[in-house]
Amino acid sequence: MARSVKGTGTFFCALTVLLIVGFYTLLELNVLDDFQISDVVEIKSATQINEETEAATSQLLDDDPVKDDKKNYVTKVDDKVSDSCSDFDHGDISHLKNLTSIFNCGSESGTCEWYYPSKFLDSTCGVGKEFSSQLDYMKEVYDAKELWLSGPPIVLPWASIIPADMKPNPFKDGPWNRHNLSMTHVHKTGGTSLVTAFGSVLSKGAKGKRRTVYMPGKKPMPMTEKQQRLRGKMPPKSLNKSVIYGRSYNDSSAFLDGATKYKRPEDWGEKDHTLFAVVRDPAERFISAIGQATGAFGSSANGIGKQLLNECLKETTKATLNCFIDLMQTNSTWIEVHFTPMVLEISFATIYKDIPVAVFPFTEVSNLLRELASDPNSKKKDGHKSGYRKSEVLTNLTVADYDTEMLTKLCDVYKMDAILMKHLGMPTMCDKVLDV
């Protein structure tokens, strides 16, 4: 019996062992299946890695502004430039308190605005940065001695006014102001009258002189058949070449280093001077430039006047004006100095220095003449005076001849000047057709 029990126990023990082994075998098989399933998932995931990574990256970029930076790189660069330009110094435009003078720009009595030409045309942050490359071109032409050939010299008149030394000003009541003044001549803005006025103030007791920044050379002039016969076999007459980087240039450069904002009477140093300029509505100035460049008084030997007349003098004022606008678009404003944008004239005359310029609107010319002891109604060059210009058609040109299309074309040519005057808070006709 005991033996039987022992056998039965052995049987059950063996059975138990088999059951346990079977259980773990099944357990292991399930685990293996789990690993096998997992392995399949991993392999599947590996075959799709690129697509899923790109999809995930795309999703991330959709939520990330960096994506826009990559898609709009130029915009991002502009934004960065804009951010970096937030602290850009456009120049000190503050005024002196309790000081009455039209040269105290920005004050109640001041009729000018402070302008910094080198900052305006700064290639990175300047208000007129899109035109900075034109400075490089102007320098290249100057270095080649070909800038504004047969044009007038670029001058810097200067006067130091000390009231105790001055005779009475016949055109202004009250005492003289103590100040040192200089001027950059922007063509077709009353500049000739103002340069002459500096001579008047010197005659009243001021100290001063006229410096020359640049003396252009002469264009070769074609000879008539008669001139050729008279000259015979004589060698051709030598041309006067442009004078660049000479003694006058260096003297002017050193002088410009003393340009400063307006000062109180007791603060003027011997080398200090406030440099001023006059600007004019581009649409008005262009008409005056046409009359001058086509051979009016002072420009008869510019070497291009007759060619301009042959090309664009038409039967009507409107057709003539439109032709000259088209000529500027196709041949550029470099063909004659009087067509040069004001922005470039001021930059050249100041030798690209980082200095302040007191800029007056054209309407202030009479007051400037009065300050310089000159008749405020005098005009050295009056384009509407009969006989001054080469044709009655040119004499009768007015801003009324512009239509919208013509004005738009003209203002696009002189966009830098329109932007400058907008920057200075001076309205122009271009405000109607340009978004500047």
Side-chain angles (χ1 to χ4, degrees), residues 14 36 45 56 89 166 218 298 309 320 356 383:
Q36 287 175 336
S45 178
D89 178 15
M166 301 297 292
K218 300 296 182 182
L309 287 173
T320 298

Side-chain angles (χ1 to χ4, degrees), residues 187-234:
H187 291 92
K188 308 320 301 172
T189 64
T192 301
S193 297
L194 289 167
V195 169
T196 304
F198 270 85
S200 296
V201 78
L202 295 185
S203 70
K204 299 300 181 184
K207 296 189 303 180
K209 65 179 292 187
R210 185 187 301 175
R211 291 173 170 82
T212 300
V213 177
Y214 175 51
M215 179 63 74
K218 300 296 182 182
K219 291 179 181 177
M221 299 291 288
M223 291 190 295
T224 64
E225 291 184 7
K226 182 177 180 180
Q227 288 174 325
Q228 290 174 357
R229 286 197 307 270
L230 290 173
R231 289 191 64 83
K233 296 182 179 180
M234 293 175 60

Side-chain angles (χ1 to χ4, degrees), residues 134-247:
Q134 295 208 32
L135 291 184
D136 298 328
Y137 178 78
M138 185 160 58
K139 292 175 185 177
E140 290 176 8
V141 180
Y142 173 82
D143 289 341
K145 299 185 178 182
E146 295 180 355
L147 183 63
W148 301 324
L149 294 179
S150 296
I154 307 302
V155 298
L156 287 172
W158 161 73
S160 177
I161 299 173
I162 301 175
D165 299 335
M166 301 297 292
K167 299 174 184 178
N169 184 342
F171 300 102
K172 183 182 178 184
D173 295 331
W176 289 89
N177 288 329
R178 166 69 184 105
H179 49 210
N180 301 335
L181 303 174
S182 60
M183 187 191 84
T184 172
H185 180 180
V186 179
H187 291 92
K188 308 320 301 172
T189 64
T192 301
S193 297
L194 289 167
V195 169
T196 304
F198 270 85
S200 296
V201 78
L202 295 185
S203 70
K204 299 300 181 184
K207 296 189 303 180
K209 65 179 292 187
R210 185 187 301 175
R211 291 173 170 82
T212 300
V213 177
Y214 175 51
M215 179 63 74
K218 300 296 182 182
K219 291 179 181 177
M221 299 291 288
M223 291 190 295
T224 64
E225 291 184 7
K226 182 177 180 180
Q227 288 174 325
Q228 290 174 357
R229 286 197 307 270
L230 290 173
R231 289 191 64 83
K233 296 182 179 180
M234 293 175 60
K237 186 177 180 180
S238 61
L239 296 174
N240 295 323
K241 295 184 178 180
S242 300
V243 179
I244 64 172
Y245 302 119
R247 184 172 61 183

Side-chain angles (χ1 to χ4, degrees), residues 77-79 81-82 84-85 90 118-135 416 419:
V77 170
D78 288 343
D79 289 344
V81 169
S82 178
S84 66
C85 291
H90 291 279
S118 70
K119 297 181 186 297
F120 180 82
L121 288 172
D122 180 86
S123 60
T124 302
C125 297
V127 174
K129 62 185 177 183
E130 64 182 287
F131 309 106
S132 62
S133 62
Q134 295 208 32
L135 291 184
M416 68 176 79
I419 291 176

Side-chain angles (χ1 to χ4, degrees), residues 274-289:
T274 287
L275 177 69
F276 73 87
V278 177
V279 295
R280 188 178 185 180
D281 188 317
E284 295 178 356
R285 180 174 177 260
F286 183 64
I287 289 175
S288 183

Side-chain angles (χ1 to χ4, degrees), residues 11-30:
F11 172 79
F12 279 105
C13 286
L15 181 59
T16 301
V17 171
L18 289 173
L19 289 173
I20 292 172
V21 171
F23 173 77
Y24 278 105
T25 299
L26 291 172
L27 184 61
E28 287 176 0
L29 288 172
N30 286 332

